[in-house]
Each structure stands twice: as structure tokens, then as C-alpha cells.
Amino acid sequence: MRRAQKILLVGGVALIVAVNAFVLAGVAWNRSGAPASVLTLAQRELSLPYAFGLDGERGGIDVALLWRAPMRDDNAEAAYDMHYGRGPDWLDADKLRELGFDLKDGRDAYRARREVYVVLELAGASWQAALAQAQRRLDRALARGSTDKQDADALKSAQEAMKYEQHKASRLFAVDAGLDAAALRQRYPELRSHAIVAATVTPSVTVIEGKTLFSGHIGELSVARISVPHALRGAMEGIDRTALDTGRAAFDMDVSWGRRFEPWITAVRPRRPAPAG
């Protein structure tokens, strides 16, 4: 009996060692060679853990990527686009077919799901379009004036939306998708403004007045959270969430993606609160 327990123990340890070796080999392969993408992201694209700054020792720190889909025209009056991960207009029926979805089943198509490559664009044309949309909304509110409470509230909301878009909203947008990562990289060659990531896409089916309309929804990225390396965690010391939330402090992180389209953090640069004056 004792011998059997020893065999099981040795086998269990060997399995753990083998799994860890496999994981480490995958990490090493992903990070070997030149990075596929390198983006410098700020706190507006990286969400800190909810308890950050509350636990004395901090422990491990993971950040979550905050990305957006381009705002739809029907959302023009919204204060800002909170729909991170919502299906963009470019992910239409033609694009879904290009991604390999069979839409012949109509309403049953929503049951399908497929992992594809998605292009994330940093501070590019989609963000500029979001800024322009917020400006148009503010211009309309200014033109109406604030003679009554409803107009005054609309003006205040538009002003807050503009400020949010300029300083707090994520500048990282999903702008395209495909099955061939190399083809996408040829289409978007800028390594420091376009990252290619793996994510799931699910068709969405809507029937309006007897007409079936298809659109796509981008789900979770295959790797949506990134661990801050232990050697870089010291750079986060002294930063509290209150300072980040109010804009009195900020940070930048260099995030690289490798051969397996998995991200890792290579640098952390905090910006401390400006001294009161």
C-alpha cells in the first residue's frame, strides 16, 4: 500500500513538472524572436484589479485590456460608448461569411462561434471618429442653448462626454478580423499602432419586418488579462486608484504580442500626481 502511494506521489509530481515545463516552453516560444506587435497603452486601455491599492502587499497584479468597437450611428446621442466588445458595423453578413460562418440557417446561426484574428487599433482613425462624434454632439447641444432644464442637462452631458472621450475612454478599437494573421498584418503593417489578437466571434440574428439581418459580436480575447512581471511591480508603488480615477496620476505600459498572439508587459512607467500649487 505504501509503495502504491509512493508511486502515485511520484507520478503526480512528474505530471506537475511536465505541465509546468510545457507551459514555460509555450511562453518561451511566444516571446522568441521579434514581437509581432508593441503598443504603449495607458490606464485608459488597462484596467487595474478592483482591490488594487487596498491590499497592503499588493501581491500579483493583473491588468485587463479595455477595447472598444466603433460607435454606431444610432448611438450618437449616448454620453459615451460603454459597449466594450459590442459588434461593430464592419462585422456584417459579408464579413461573417468571410470568417467561415454559414448563415443559411437563419436564426440558428447565433449558435455558432469561431475563434478568429482581430485587429486592435490604438489611437487611430476609429478613435478620431469617436472624438469627432462627441464634438458633433456637443456642437448640437451648444446650438440649442440651455434655456430650459432639458437643454441644460443635454449640454452638460455632452460636455462631460467630450471630456471623457478626450481623456478617459479607451483609444483601442477593434477595426477588422480575419482567418489569416499574416494577411491581416500585410493590411495593417504598423506594429506600434495595430495589434493582432485572437478572439471569438459569434453571429447575431435580428428579424425586422420579416427581413433577417446578420451582425457579429466580438467576445472575449483569448488572453484578456496580462500579469505585471514581478520585476516591474515596484513601478506601481505609490499609485492609488483615487489618483488614477481623477486623472491626477497615470501610467504607461509597453505591451508586446508574440508568436502565439499572447501579450506580455515589458515596461511600466508611472506618472505621479502633479504637486498642488
Side-chain angles (χ1 to χ4, degrees), residues 29-45:
W29 166 251
N30 179 60
R31 301 184 185 184
S32 62
S37 308
V38 182
L39 302 188
T40 297
L41 305 176
Q43 75 282 351
R44 59 200 290 173
E45 288 89 37

PDB file of all heavy atoms in Angstrom, residues 29-45:
ATOM      1  N   TRP A  29       8.410  30.173 -26.447  1.00  0.00           N
ATOM      2  CA  TRP A  29       8.187  30.196 -27.893  1.00  0.00           C
ATOM      3  C   TRP A  29       7.443  31.467 -28.290  1.00  0.00           C
ATOM      4  O   TRP A  29       7.779  32.115 -29.276  1.00  0.00           O
ATOM      5  CB  TRP A  29       7.407  28.962 -28.314  1.00  0.00           C
ATOM      6  CG  TRP A  29       6.841  29.046 -29.699  1.00  0.00           C
ATOM      7  CD1 TRP A  29       5.533  29.190 -30.044  1.00  0.00           C
ATOM      8  CD2 TRP A  29       7.563  29.004 -30.937  1.00  0.00           C
ATOM      9  NE1 TRP A  29       5.384  29.244 -31.413  1.00  0.00           N
ATOM     10  CE2 TRP A  29       6.619  29.128 -31.982  1.00  0.00           C
ATOM     11  CE3 TRP A  29       8.905  28.875 -31.262  1.00  0.00           C
ATOM     12  CZ2 TRP A  29       6.989  29.130 -33.324  1.00  0.00           C
ATOM     13  CZ3 TRP A  29       9.274  28.872 -32.604  1.00  0.00           C
ATOM     14  CH2 TRP A  29       8.322  28.995 -33.612  1.00  0.00           C
ATOM     15  N   ASN A  30       6.425  31.829 -27.513  1.00  0.00           N
ATOM     16  CA  ASN A  30       5.653  33.027 -27.823  1.00  0.00           C
ATOM     17  C   ASN A  30       6.534  34.265 -27.833  1.00  0.00           C
ATOM     18  O   ASN A  30       6.364  35.149 -28.674  1.00  0.00           O
ATOM     19  CB  ASN A  30       4.526  33.193 -26.800  1.00  0.00           C
ATOM     20  CG  ASN A  30       3.685  34.431 -27.039  1.00  0.00           C
ATOM     21  OD1 ASN A  30       3.069  34.592 -28.083  1.00  0.00           O
ATOM     22  ND2 ASN A  30       3.674  35.337 -26.057  1.00  0.00           N
ATOM     23  N   ARG A  31       7.497  34.337 -26.921  1.00  0.00           N
ATOM     24  CA  ARG A  31       8.316  35.535 -26.766  1.00  0.00           C
ATOM     25  C   ARG A  31       9.624  35.486 -27.551  1.00  0.00           C
ATOM     26  O   ARG A  31      10.416  36.434 -27.486  1.00  0.00           O
ATOM     27  CB  ARG A  31       8.608  35.778 -25.287  1.00  0.00           C
ATOM     28  CG  ARG A  31       7.339  35.953 -24.464  1.00  0.00           C
ATOM     29  CD  ARG A  31       7.643  36.289 -23.017  1.00  0.00           C
ATOM     30  NE  ARG A  31       6.415  36.345 -22.219  1.00  0.00           N
ATOM     31  CZ  ARG A  31       6.348  36.695 -20.944  1.00  0.00           C
ATOM     32  NH1 ARG A  31       7.462  37.027 -20.304  1.00  0.00           N
ATOM     33  NH2 ARG A  31       5.192  36.708 -20.305  1.00  0.00           N
ATOM     34  N   SER A  32       9.871  34.410 -28.262  1.00  0.00           N
ATOM     35  CA  SER A  32      11.111  34.303 -29.027  1.00  0.00           C
ATOM     36  C   SER A  32      11.019  35.134 -30.305  1.00  0.00           C
ATOM     37  O   SER A  32       9.945  35.320 -30.872  1.00  0.00           O
ATOM     38  CB  SER A  32      11.391  32.834 -29.379  1.00  0.00           C
ATOM     39  OG  SER A  32      10.361  32.305 -30.207  1.00  0.00           O
ATOM     40  N   GLY A  33      12.148  35.636 -30.735  1.00  0.00           N
ATOM     41  CA  GLY A  33      12.167  36.458 -31.940  1.00  0.00           C
ATOM     42  C   GLY A  33      11.629  37.854 -31.677  1.00  0.00           C
ATOM     43  O   GLY A  33      11.356  38.248 -30.541  1.00  0.00           O
ATOM     44  N   ALA A  34      11.448  38.599 -32.731  1.00  0.00           N
ATOM     45  CA  ALA A  34      10.928  39.972 -32.613  1.00  0.00           C
ATOM     46  C   ALA A  34       9.432  39.924 -32.298  1.00  0.00           C
ATOM     47  O   ALA A  34       8.705  39.080 -32.835  1.00  0.00           O
ATOM     48  CB  ALA A  34      11.166  40.735 -33.901  1.00  0.00           C
ATOM     49  N   PRO A  35       8.933  40.824 -31.432  1.00  0.00           N
ATOM     50  CA  PRO A  35       7.499  40.851 -31.134  1.00  0.00           C
ATOM     51  C   PRO A  35       6.674  41.129 -32.385  1.00  0.00           C
ATOM     52  O   PRO A  35       7.092  41.865 -33.278  1.00  0.00           O
ATOM     53  CB  PRO A  35       7.361  42.002 -30.125  1.00  0.00           C
ATOM     54  CG  PRO A  35       8.722  42.170 -29.545  1.00  0.00           C
ATOM     55  CD  PRO A  35       9.679  41.822 -30.643  1.00  0.00           C
ATOM     56  N   ALA A  36       5.475  40.536 -32.425  1.00  0.00           N
ATOM     57  CA  ALA A  36       4.577  40.763 -33.553  1.00  0.00           C
ATOM     58  C   ALA A  36       3.931  42.140 -33.481  1.00  0.00           C
ATOM     59  O   ALA A  36       3.571  42.721 -34.504  1.00  0.00           O
ATOM     60  CB  ALA A  36       3.499  39.682 -33.593  1.00  0.00           C
ATOM     61  N   SER A  37       3.764  42.656 -32.273  1.00  0.00           N
ATOM     62  CA  SER A  37       3.194  43.994 -32.062  1.00  0.00           C
ATOM     63  C   SER A  37       3.741  44.529 -30.754  1.00  0.00           C
ATOM     64  O   SER A  37       4.020  43.767 -29.823  1.00  0.00           O
ATOM     65  CB  SER A  37       1.658  43.955 -31.975  1.00  0.00           C
ATOM     66  OG  SER A  37       1.094  43.279 -33.064  1.00  0.00           O
ATOM     67  N   VAL A  38       3.888  45.845 -30.661  1.00  0.00           N
ATOM     68  CA  VAL A  38       4.304  46.507 -29.415  1.00  0.00           C
ATOM     69  C   VAL A  38       3.504  47.794 -29.292  1.00  0.00           C
ATOM     70  O   VAL A  38       3.729  48.752 -30.037  1.00  0.00           O
ATOM     71  CB  VAL A  38       5.814  46.833 -29.389  1.00  0.00           C
ATOM     72  CG1 VAL A  38       6.182  47.470 -28.056  1.00  0.00           C
ATOM     73  CG2 VAL A  38       6.651  45.580 -29.629  1.00  0.00           C
ATOM     74  N   LEU A  39       2.569  47.821 -28.357  1.00  0.00           N
ATOM     75  CA  LEU A  39       1.748  49.011 -28.145  1.00  0.00           C
ATOM     76  C   LEU A  39       2.065  49.623 -26.790  1.00  0.00           C
ATOM     77  O   LEU A  39       2.270  48.909 -25.809  1.00  0.00           O
ATOM     78  CB  LEU A  39       0.254  48.665 -28.192  1.00  0.00           C
ATOM     79  CG  LEU A  39      -0.302  47.999 -29.452  1.00  0.00           C
ATOM     80  CD1 LEU A  39      -1.818  47.912 -29.369  1.00  0.00           C
ATOM     81  CD2 LEU A  39       0.129  48.742 -30.705  1.00  0.00           C
ATOM     82  N   THR A  40       2.110  50.943 -26.737  1.00  0.00           N
ATOM     83  CA  THR A  40       2.246  51.647 -25.467  1.00  0.00           C
ATOM     84  C   THR A  40       0.850  52.074 -25.029  1.00  0.00           C
ATOM     85  O   THR A  40       0.249  52.972 -25.627  1.00  0.00           O
ATOM     86  CB  THR A  40       3.165  52.875 -25.611  1.00  0.00           C
ATOM     87  OG1 THR A  40       4.480  52.428 -25.984  1.00  0.00           O
ATOM     88  CG2 THR A  40       3.251  53.633 -24.296  1.00  0.00           C
ATOM     89  N   LEU A  41       0.347  51.420 -23.998  1.00  0.00           N
ATOM     90  CA  LEU A  41      -1.014  51.637 -23.524  1.00  0.00           C
ATOM     91  C   LEU A  41      -0.997  52.403 -22.215  1.00  0.00           C
ATOM     92  O   LEU A  41      -0.077  52.271 -21.409  1.00  0.00           O
ATOM     93  CB  LEU A  41      -1.728  50.295 -23.336  1.00  0.00           C
ATOM     94  CG  LEU A  41      -1.749  49.365 -24.557  1.00  0.00           C
ATOM     95  CD1 LEU A  41      -2.410  48.043 -24.202  1.00  0.00           C
ATOM     96  CD2 LEU A  41      -2.467  50.028 -25.725  1.00  0.00           C
ATOM     97  N   ALA A  42      -2.029  53.196 -22.003  1.00  0.00           N
ATOM     98  CA  ALA A  42      -2.173  53.966 -20.765  1.00  0.00           C
ATOM     99  C   ALA A  42      -3.254  53.336 -19.892  1.00  0.00           C
ATOM    100  O   ALA A  42      -3.864  52.328 -20.253  1.00  0.00           O
ATOM    101  CB  ALA A  42      -2.526  55.412 -21.096  1.00  0.00           C
ATOM    102  N   GLN A  43      -3.503  53.962 -18.730  1.00  0.00           N
ATOM    103  CA  GLN A  43      -4.503  53.401 -17.820  1.00  0.00           C
ATOM    104  C   GLN A  43      -5.896  53.395 -18.432  1.00  0.00           C
ATOM    105  O   GLN A  43      -6.765  52.650 -18.001  1.00  0.00           O
ATOM    106  CB  GLN A  43      -4.499  54.150 -16.483  1.00  0.00           C
ATOM    107  CG  GLN A  43      -5.134  55.520 -16.493  1.00  0.00           C
ATOM    108  CD  GLN A  43      -4.209  56.573 -17.099  1.00  0.00           C
ATOM    109  OE1 GLN A  43      -3.040  56.279 -17.352  1.00  0.00           O
ATOM    110  NE2 GLN A  43      -4.711  57.775 -17.318  1.00  0.00           N
ATOM    111  N   ARG A  44      -6.117  54.198 -19.464  1.00  0.00           N
ATOM    112  CA  ARG A  44      -7.425  54.202 -20.118  1.00  0.00           C
ATOM    113  C   ARG A  44      -7.652  52.951 -20.955  1.00  0.00           C
ATOM    114  O   ARG A  44      -8.784  52.635 -21.303  1.00  0.00           O
ATOM    115  CB  ARG A  44      -7.574  55.465 -20.966  1.00  0.00           C
ATOM    116  CG  ARG A  44      -6.533  55.627 -22.037  1.00  0.00           C
ATOM    117  CD  ARG A  44      -6.414  57.069 -22.517  1.00  0.00           C
ATOM    118  NE  ARG A  44      -7.576  57.499 -23.296  1.00  0.00           N
ATOM    119  CZ  ARG A  44      -7.781  58.753 -23.707  1.00  0.00           C
ATOM    120  NH1 ARG A  44      -6.908  59.699 -23.378  1.00  0.00           N
ATOM    121  NH2 ARG A  44      -8.825  59.073 -24.419  1.00  0.00           N
ATOM    122  N   GLU A  45      -6.583  52.224 -21.294  1.00  0.00           N
ATOM    123  CA  GLU A  45      -6.709  50.946 -22.011  1.00  0.00           C
ATOM    124  C   GLU A  45      -6.444  49.735 -21.127  1.00  0.00           C
ATOM    125  O   GLU A  45      -6.573  48.597 -21.581  1.00  0.00           O
ATOM    126  CB  GLU A  45      -5.733  50.888 -23.192  1.00  0.00           C
ATOM    127  CG  GLU A  45      -6.086  51.774 -24.351  1.00  0.00           C
ATOM    128  CD  GLU A  45      -5.507  53.168 -24.241  1.00  0.00           C
ATOM    129  OE1 GLU A  45      -4.366  53.318 -23.747  1.00  0.00           O
ATOM    130  OE2 GLU A  45      -6.205  54.129 -24.641  1.00  0.00           O
TER     131      GLU A  45
END
